[in-house]
Amino acid sequence: MDRKQQVLLKLKPKVKAFGFNKKEVMGIAARIADNLTSTDDASDEDVNAEIEAAIDAVLPYLQVSQSFANRVIEENRKKNDDDETDDGDDTSSNTSNNRQTGFKQK
């Protein structure tokens, strides 16, 4: 099994609750695997320890990115809810649409 697959197997359960899609998790795993420094002849124990350490190092950043994404989504959701509320209450702003042709208002 190559390093990317090893990282992916260890990373998946740790980021499952974050809501990242498969492509994003695979990209994160590839990035981590590319930055591993152990040699090909290193023991499995050493490689696993390095992978765990690398994953533990990126987890806080993944949590922050999830928080940021959630905040942006909520802000947009609130903005859209406010826009919908404004659209429904604004009946008097465009009175020209309610006027009949040839009718003169005093």
Side-chain angles (χ1 to χ4, degrees):
M1 182 182 320
D2 68 340
R3 299 255 173 114
K4 183 178 172 183
Q5 290 299 320
Q6 289 176 315
V7 172
L8 187 60
L9 286 175
K10 293 181 182 305
L11 181 66
K12 271 184 178 180
K14 292 185 178 192
V15 299
K16 184 177 182 178
F18 294 163
F20 294 109
N21 66 30
K22 183 178 180 179
K23 183 179 178 182
E24 292 164 339
V25 173
M26 290 177 70
I28 294 165
R31 209 46 147 354
I32 292 171
D34 288 344
N35 289 314
L36 295 176
T37 59
S38 58
T39 60
D40 290 337
D41 60 348
S43 70
D44 287 343
E45 187 176 294
D46 290 341
V47 172
N48 288 335
E50 184 181 16
I51 290 171
E52 289 292 337
I55 290 173
D56 290 343
V58 300
L59 281 177
Y61 298 104
L62 299 177
Q63 290 170 334
V64 167
S65 66
Q66 180 206 23
S67 296
F68 174 73
N70 288 342
R71 186 176 73 243
V72 169
I73 289 168
E74 284 302 314
E75 287 173 358
N76 284 330
R77 186 174 293 149
K78 286 179 184 177
K79 181 182 176 194
N80 288 337
D81 288 346
D82 290 345
D83 288 347
E84 288 174 8
T85 304
D86 290 345
D87 289 344
D89 293 341
D90 196 13
T91 57
S92 64
S93 67
N94 195 356
T95 56
S96 64
N97 289 341
N98 296 331
R99 294 183 188 161
Q100 293 179 356
T101 309
F103 181 73
K104 193 173 192 180
Q105 287 186 341
K106 293 183 181 181

